[in-house]
Amino acid sequence: MPISATVPTNSIFRDDILKGKVAFVTGGGSGICKGIAESYLRHGAKVTIVSRSKDRLEAAAAEMKKNIPGAQVLAVAADVRDPQQLEAAAKATADKFGRIDILICGAAGNFLAPAESLSYRAFRTVIEIDLIGTFNTIKACFPYLKRSGAASVIGISASLHYKGTALQIHPVAAKAGIDAMFKTLANEWGAYNIRCNIVSPGPIQNTEGMDRLSNKAYHDQLIARIPLRGLGEIVDIEHACLYLATDAARYVTGATLVVDGEWLSGVYVSCRVLQ
Ligand code: COA
Ligand code: NAP
């Protein structure tokens, strides 16, 4: 029996559950993190979206304002590899919205490549964006999160590294580092009531990440390897991130919420390997 074909569109949370909260979302101009930003706006938060492309961010912000009545969204271009740009983005958020209570670390880069031919620079690039970029983001936002009094930091990881995935040594190393870092942060920052949790998406359809890692020709074989027999939707990750941002998760920190249909319970081989 496959997962329900009906994608849930209604939230189980009140539409003002994040009223008064401010979220800072890296990668928020596209894909999964754009969905998370929209979901936070729909639940009453003010949101800053951050990535490298100013044009893409401004287009996303305009779409959010058009589709979500009263949406207060700020678009700030910054490269997560540059701490100064992130500090400026965090300050711009506090200047405009007064605070930061929720942080989504979602900016990432990926492509398929075998370890034996991956260049030294290619490996380092993904570590710098995903792992060091996540640390830079958290560190730049920390003074504001501490002041919040009740903050939620969510790292967008993956389930690729829980068993190892061919052609993915670079994100596997980066995401494993992010998971470990969040356990430590949960320990250090519990005293400030800053909760630090991980959401690990599996294969989420209609995303850049999925387009880069899969191949439509092998769609059926991929689905057959997923115990829940279906790909995830962006809304599945939105719901996980909404839960962790609310007081419903006030006693949850250092946790990893895997949203992947138990993708890796079978032996995962990249679809392109099968070509
Ligand atoms: N296969 C192998 N190596 C690759 C590659 C690929 N498909 N794409 C890039 N690289 C290598 C480059 O050749 C370069 O190494 P080299 O100098 O030794 O040749 C290195 O990676 C850095 O590439 P560059 O294009 O300079 O990096 P960037 O910082 O401009 O871009 C990427 C970062 C490569 C991750 C780019 O794909 C990106 O911007 N991705 C964002 C979107 C994304 O990946 N979404 C999915 C999220 S899961
Ligand atoms: P996406 O749309 O390409 O999202 C990646 C975002 O990161 C983009 O908005 C990109 O914007 C931003 N980014 C990349 N490099 C950056 C940098 N140096 N500085 C600042 N921002 C940067 O891909 P997605 O598939 O939705 O992935 C979103 C997150 O989910 C990622 O963390 C990914 O690892 C994770 N994930 C996805 C899947 C999936 O199936 N899609 C599965 C597991 C995990 P700019 O180009 O404008 O910078």
Side-chain angles (χ1 to χ4, degrees):
M1 186 70 151
I3 54 170
S4 166
T6 310
V7 179
T9 48
N10 291 333
S11 163
I12 63 163
F13 291 101
R14 285 191 333 260
D15 58 11
D16 66 347
I17 190 114
L18 295 181
K19 193 170 170 210
K21 302 276 189 187
V22 174
F24 186 100
V25 182
T26 69
S30 67
I32 290 172
C33 297
K34 177 167 176 253
I36 297 167
E38 288 168 340
S39 147
Y40 286 169
L41 287 167
R42 275 196 208 94
H43 288 83
K46 297 170 186 166
V47 177
T48 296
I49 52 175
V50 179
S51 79
R52 293 166 300 179
S53 166
K54 193 161 178 54
D55 288 352
R56 172 142 80 167
L57 288 170
E58 284 178 350
E63 188 189 324
M64 291 170 190
K65 284 178 187 160
K66 185 170 158 235
N67 294 339
I68 304 169
Q72 291 202 52
V73 55
L74 175 67
V76 182
D79 190 321
V80 294
R81 291 169 285 194
D82 184 332
Q84 279 70 42
Q85 290 184 27
L86 284 166
E87 285 181 7
K91 183 173 182 308
T93 303
D95 288 349
K96 182 159 176 75
F97 296 139
R99 53 195 298 126
I100 302 175
D101 309 280
I102 303 165
L103 176 58
I104 294 286
C105 302
N110 198 6
F111 46 81
L112 288 174
E116 67 185 55
S117 60
L118 187 72
S119 75
Y120 295 110
R121 184 163 174 264
F123 182 83
R124 195 173 61 236
T125 296
V126 171
I127 297 293
E128 281 174 351
I129 298 172
D130 293 26
L131 177 57
I132 299 175
T134 293
F135 177 77
N136 291 343
T137 305
I138 293 168
K139 176 109 172 128
C141 291
F142 172 71
Y144 308 98
L145 297 167
K146 187 177 170 188
R147 250 174 262 152
S148 160
S152 175
V153 181
I154 301 172
I156 305 300
S157 185
S159 55
L160 299 167
H161 54 294
Y162 297 137
K163 293 195 176 171
T165 302
L167 312 187
Q168 289 287 273
I169 196 165
H170 38 317
V172 157
K175 298 293 193 182
I178 291 171
D179 285 10
M181 199 158 68
F182 268 65
K183 292 274 185 206
T184 294
L185 288 175
N187 275 293
E188 288 194 18
W189 291 354
Y192 303 126
N193 199 17
I194 303 175
R195 295 179 296 103
C196 301
N197 294 293
I198 291 287
V199 169
S200 292
I204 305 300
Q205 59 192 321
N206 303 316
T207 62
E208 180 69 26
M210 195 56 201
D211 288 350
R212 284 176 180 230
L213 305 190
S214 71
N215 182 317
K216 286 191 173 39
Y218 292 97
H219 187 262
D220 291 348
Q221 288 99 316
L222 171 62
I223 302 279
R225 283 194 213 104
I226 300 171
L228 281 180
R229 299 288 185 272
L231 299 177
E233 303 272 353
I234 290 175
V235 72
D236 295 316
I237 308 305
E238 287 174 23
H239 287 160
C241 291
L242 189 53
Y243 163 65
L244 287 171
T246 68
D247 289 344
R250 71 188 191 104
Y251 202 49
V252 180
T253 193
T256 299
L257 181 46
V258 181
V259 186
D260 78 342
E262 187 56 336
W263 185 24
L264 291 178
S265 73
V267 177
Y268 170 67
V269 181
S270 161
C271 295
R272 291 223 177 118
V273 175
L274 297 174
Q275 276 183 322

